[in-house]
Amino acid sequence: MRGVLLAIVLGVSLSAYDAAHLQKALEDKECIGCDLRGADLSKNDFSGADFHGSDLSNADLHESLFEMGDLNDCNLSGANVEKALFWKGTMKHSDLSHIRARGANFKGTNLSGSNLSFSDFRGTKSWKANFTNALFNKTDFSDAELGDAKFIHNDLRSSKLTKTLLWRTHFSDVMMTKAQCAHAKKEEALLGANVMCY
Amino acid sequence: MKKLLVLIVFMSSLLHAAAIQSDKEFQQAVAKMGKDNKLVLMIYTTDDCPECAYMKHKVFHDKTVAPFLNSHFIVMEKNVHRNQLPDGFDYFGIPTMFFIDKTGTKKETIVGSKRAREFLSELHRIRGIK
């Protein structure tokens, strides 16, 4: 009985979005500093929308478009963004931990200073994305495309870079494993200053 | 009325076909084919597109891709910022690759980059539907 109650309480807290905020997001295609926890924003066109400072934790954004969108300072932890497009958007200083992003496209997106720990970036396309000062802890980039992306001041040692495309990917002031460094060189990545291979 | 509608559809299809067929680069690509039954691979690019550079400099020249690509396709490039684009070949993302037969009929479209192995597999598939 306690278990059921706990599950109900947790369920409510995970999807306790503000209905008025959800309506605003869907109608105006923008919502600044909104409570959209667990909200369903999937398969929508939010191109150019401004969601900065919003709580989108555990929200469903799969297959939505956020081209040139502003998702700075957002909480997207645990969100489902599979097959969503974030082309040339900004997601600076956002919490993307535990995010499910398989097949999503972050081409030209600025993710500097964001937390991507425990996130699933398998098969994503992040050409020319900026990961400066981003936090990686067991982030899975298997089969992802990171060509011409920028990694500055990161620790990638616990992350997976299996079969990751790293053509002309820029690394500087980065900590990587020896295997990651070897893979990066094979992929013709650009290893700049202070790339430490452990 | 029905005849007029059919005529309009027929005329618009002629205009559509004429658009790519009047493109100089397309004409040159078709001329290069000679009697071979190749397809034109028209890739849309921009200067500031690493995915385009990857396809052009890496994948198209990959040792597993190049022989098949050169045997069955003629590659032509259109920079979407500098070149006039033919009617009926709209794009959503860059790079976009159109596969076109010598009559100007679009057979297939690929959006985005592909790794060499995956791209080769796509070329085989597209060659198959030719």
Side-chain angles (χ1 to χ4, degrees), chain A residues 1 18 24-25 30 50 52 56 60 68 81 102 114 121 124-126 130 146 157 162 176 182 187 189 192-193 198:
Chain A
M1 188 63 187
D18 185 318
K24 178 173 167 50
E30 71 169 39
D50 189 349
H52 82 257
L56 291 146
D60 185 359
M68 308 278 283
V81 303
R102 285 187 84 162
S114 287
F121 267 63
T124 49
K125 291 196 172 204
S126 299
N130 185 351
L146 293 165
R157 289 175 296 176
T162 313
M176 300 164 87
E187 287 280 306
Y198 295 92

Side-chain angles (χ1 to χ4, degrees), chain A residues 107 125 128 145 163 188, chain B residues 48 58 94 113 115:
Chain A
K107 185 177 177 178
K125 291 196 172 204
K128 224 179 174 181
E145 296 183 16
K163 293 182 184 173
E188 299 175 37
Chain B
D48 189 24
K58 191 83 179 156
I94 297 291
S113 57
R115 286 185 175 86

Side-chain angles (χ1 to χ4, degrees), chain B residues 10 14 17 20 28 43 46 51 59 62 85-86 96-97 118-120 123:
Chain B
F10 177 68
L14 282 181
I20 183 76
Q28 285 165 0
I43 180 168
T46 61
E51 278 183 277
V59 178
D62 183 272
L85 307 179
T96 292
M97 289 166 274
E118 197 184 350
F119 185 63
L120 182 60
L123 290 183

Side-chain angles (χ1 to χ4, degrees), chain B:
Chain B
M1 184 63 187
K2 198 175 176 182
K3 277 183 183 174
L4 182 66
L5 195 65
V6 170
L7 187 67
I8 289 168
V9 171
F10 177 68
M11 290 301 286
S12 64
S13 70
L14 282 181
L15 284 172
H16 172 78
I20 183 76
Q21 282 178 332
S22 64
D23 185 280
K24 267 191 181 175
E25 284 167 86
F26 180 76
Q27 288 169 344
Q28 285 165 0
V30 171
K32 272 188 203 169
M33 289 180 200
K35 288 179 182 174
D36 293 340
N37 193 23
K38 294 184 179 182
L39 289 175
V40 173
L41 190 176
M42 179 169 70
I43 180 168
Y44 280 3
T45 65
T46 61
D47 292 333
D48 189 24
C49 166
E51 278 183 277
C52 306
Y54 177 71
M55 291 308 294
K56 288 193 299 173
H57 303 306
K58 191 83 179 156
V59 178
F60 289 177
H61 295 285
D62 183 272
K63 63 184 178 188
T64 63
V65 172
F68 191 80
L69 180 65
N70 296 330
S71 298
H72 301 287
F73 301 87
I74 302 284
V75 178
M76 63 179 266
E77 182 183 353
K78 291 276 183 194
N79 185 305
V80 301
H81 293 151
R82 287 193 266 118
N83 298 127
Q84 195 171 6
L85 307 179
D87 288 341
F89 291 86
D90 297 331
Y91 64 97
F92 176 62
I94 297 291
T96 292
M97 289 166 274
F98 300 101
F99 295 85
I100 313 158
D101 70 14
K102 59 174 69 177
T103 69
T105 305
K106 192 194 308 174
K107 308 299 282 187
E108 189 62 277
T109 306
I110 295 177
V111 181
S113 57
K114 300 269 180 207
R115 286 185 175 86
R117 184 192 275 187
E118 197 184 350
F119 185 63
L120 182 60
S121 156
E122 286 289 83
L123 290 183
H124 277 282
R125 182 182 64 79
I126 291 162
R127 165 79 184 169
I129 62 170
K130 190 166 74 170

